[in-house]
Amino acid sequence: MQKTEKTSWKTLRTITLAVGTASFLMVPLALEVRLKRATQPLTDAWQYLPIESRRSTLLGISYRSPQVDTLGLDSRTTLPTLLAYPFQLIRLGAYWNRMEPGPGKFLTDELDWQIDAAERAGKLIILCVGPLKTFSYPEFFVPTHHLSHPFPEHTLIKPSAYPSLLTATTEFITRLVERYRHRKGVVAWQLEHEAVDPLGVEHTWRLDLAFVEKEVETLRRADPTRPIMMNGFLPTSLPVRLSQWWQTRDQGDSLTVAQRLADIVGIDYYPRHALMAVGTKTLYLDGSKSPWQQRRRKQLFVQTRAHGQKLMIAEGQAEPWETVTTPPNPDGQGMYSCLPERIITNYNTCMRWSRQETSLYAYLFWGAEYWMLRKQSSDPSYLQAFAHILEHG
């Protein structure tokens, strides 16, 4: 009888704890979930939002050659148009499979032209040397002649398992840096993109820390004078935070690795994004006001300052993140995940962090190519919101 009562008590306690935990998690989840129509009316709300002062923070954009092609834009007019705006910093990418389409090839014309144009416009440049992962979907740009078979899922990509790939990777880094280290406009190198995180939602393989450390050693040997920037995704909602922790618990996420290896730590900040379509509406996670990311964010400010590192927003959400890969471009409407006013509110949030803690080194808006597509489709409001910040920030 005693054993039965003891067992019943244990069962009851387990159920109570489970219900309590579920209730604990449901409260923030309920605060973060939104069920909305994906397409929303465009308004002029962005014109009336206050603009936080950037103080010493450099403002800029990222420029994605693959995305320009995907959106059907003309690179020769898109980049000069963007460079005409009075920002200070631009991030350019060296996309390995575009620069080395075959064995023995090294095509630099596209990147040469971009750097030339940026320097003529008086912009500072962060150059992402990749090699494996570079910003812009699909974020993986290894030439097929260096990797004939896809990486196995659920594995860490270790140097010992891919010695020839590591050799090709370090050779590409060295060759690239030797070509551009004399360019005065280049103020920092970026190594990998979200270096040790899984590749989006499509793949579960990850780079092993030892692989990335070898790349960092190579980059520092090739140019010991310039700082290295490494970036990572800052979860703004509880489900994403738990998922990221679970997937990277063995060696830490990309922000943790950036704090360990880099001179500049870059935060990728996307507070609102779509999860799935639900009938005629879409389910979104909106962590813009969530307390769950505050602790991690404050730790980043404290720790980078203590270690003498700079902290920046490598990607501040300024284009929609919907349930499709390419951001939709609805005629006369905007997407809920990032309407023009969200460009300003996301920026303001980060500038308030900067004011409360230590000034951010830079803030790079993510989505400049999308703004150009919208302008081409008779909606200049995204570009106008960006210009509004540059004028009043």
Side-chain angles (χ1 to χ4, degrees):
M1 182 68 178
Q2 286 182 336
K3 185 175 180 180
T4 302
E5 289 177 352
K6 187 175 181 180
T7 302
S8 299
W9 165 245
K10 284 185 175 180
T11 302
L12 179 61
R13 184 175 63 179
T14 300
I15 293 173
T16 302
L17 287 172
V19 171
T21 301
S23 300
F24 176 74
L25 294 176
M26 285 303 293
V27 172
L29 185 60
L31 295 174
E32 294 168 356
V33 169
R34 307 282 187 273
L35 186 62
K36 299 285 185 177
R37 289 192 177 276
T39 54
Q40 298 280 322
L42 289 170
T43 71
D44 60 355
W46 60 269
Q47 298 185 36
Y48 305 102
L49 292 175
I51 306 295
E52 293 284 341
S53 171
R54 67 178 178 88
R55 299 193 296 173
S56 63
T57 301
L58 303 176
L59 300 185
I61 62 172
S62 298
Y63 183 76
R64 301 167 283 173
S65 302
Q67 187 71 350
V68 168
D69 295 343
T70 297
L71 298 179
L73 300 172
D74 177 13
S75 179
R76 293 285 167 164
T77 57
T78 298
L79 182 58
T81 300
L82 291 168
L83 289 172
Y85 286 85
F87 58 86
Q88 296 82 39
L89 180 65
I90 187 169
R91 181 172 61 153
L92 301 174
Y95 299 95
W96 193 5
N97 60 0
R98 294 168 75 105
M99 298 188 72
E100 192 180 318
K105 295 183 178 179
F106 188 55
L107 308 181
T108 63
D109 289 355
E110 181 179 66
L111 189 54
D112 288 346
W113 174 78
Q114 292 174 11
I115 292 175
D116 288 343
E119 287 186 334
R120 283 196 303 271
K123 311 302 183 186
L124 303 176
I125 302 165
I126 294 179
L127 181 57
C128 182
V129 299
L132 280 74
K133 300 174 70 182
T134 311
F135 61 92
S136 188
Y137 186 85
E139 300 179 355
F140 184 66
F141 297 94
V142 177
T144 55
H145 57 278
H146 287 309
L147 189 68
S148 56
H149 301 289
F151 288 137
E153 298 296 334
H154 306 287
T155 59
L156 285 174
I157 308 306
K158 298 177 177 292
S160 57
Y162 293 89
S164 62
L165 178 62
L166 179 61
T167 298
T169 294
T170 54
E171 288 177 350
F172 179 74
I173 291 173
T174 302
R175 190 173 188 182
L176 196 69
V177 173
E178 287 178 348
R179 181 171 183 82
Y180 295 113
R181 64 189 176 192
H182 70 284
R183 304 299 289 261
K184 294 181 179 179
V186 177
V187 295
W189 309 105
Q190 178 182 337
L191 183 72
E192 299 294 358
H193 167 76
E194 298 176 356
V196 298
D197 288 351
L199 189 67
V201 297
E202 295 94 338
H203 297 286
T204 54
W205 60 262
R206 294 170 293 135
L207 292 181
D208 186 78
L209 176 59
F211 198 107
V212 179
E213 287 176 331
K214 294 291 186 182
E215 293 179 318
V216 171
E217 291 172 8
T218 299
L219 182 50
R220 291 203 186 279
R221 279 197 304 270
D223 183 4
T225 66
R226 286 183 177 84
I228 295 174
M229 189 272 275
M230 297 179 68
N231 65 326
F233 185 81
L234 178 68
T236 58
S237 61
L238 182 58
V240 176
R241 178 71 186 102
L242 292 174
S243 174
Q244 185 188 62
W245 169 81
W246 179 255
Q247 293 181 87
T248 64
R249 65 193 185 280
D250 52 354
Q251 60 179 8
D253 61 20
S254 292
L255 281 174
T256 301
V257 170
Q259 287 181 277
R260 176 176 171 177
L261 300 178
D263 306 297
I264 306 172
V265 177
I267 293 174
D268 297 344
Y269 178 63
Y270 294 85
R272 182 184 287 177
H273 57 89
L275 285 178
M276 65 181 74
V278 182
T280 59
K281 296 185 178 181
T282 299
L283 190 67
Y284 294 89
L285 281 178
D286 185 346
S288 55
K289 298 181 180 179
S290 171
W292 294 98
Q293 48 90 357
Q294 299 301 320
R295 181 182 177 186
R296 181 73 189 282
R297 187 261 303 168
K298 289 180 179 180
Q299 286 177 339
L300 284 167
F301 274 90
V302 170
Q303 292 171 359
T304 52
R305 182 172 64 245
H307 296 150
Q309 297 166 300
K310 293 180 179 179
L311 189 65
M312 66 179 288
I313 304 300
E315 297 177 11
Q317 184 181 9
E319 75 172 12
W321 182 340
E322 297 292 328
T323 57
V324 292
T325 301
T326 303
N329 181 31
D331 185 29
Q333 294 182 302
M335 304 306 298
Y336 176 76
S337 56
C338 191
L339 294 162
E341 53 266 31
R342 296 289 298 185
I343 296 177
I344 296 174
T345 56
N346 292 340
Y347 161 85
N348 281 346
T349 295
C350 295
M351 289 306 108
R352 284 192 288 269
W353 297 347
S354 186
R355 187 176 68 243
Q356 294 163 5
E357 309 284 348
T358 303
S359 290
L360 291 165
Y361 167 62
Y363 183 102
L364 299 182
F365 296 83
W366 178 264
E369 306 84 1
Y370 182 75
W371 311 339
M372 294 294 291
L373 176 67
R374 294 296 296 179
K375 181 183 178 183
Q376 195 176 87
S377 303
S378 302
D379 172 27
S381 58
Y382 285 84
L383 270 169
Q384 289 171 339
F386 173 60
H388 191 51
I389 294 171
L390 296 179
E391 182 180 358
H392 297 286

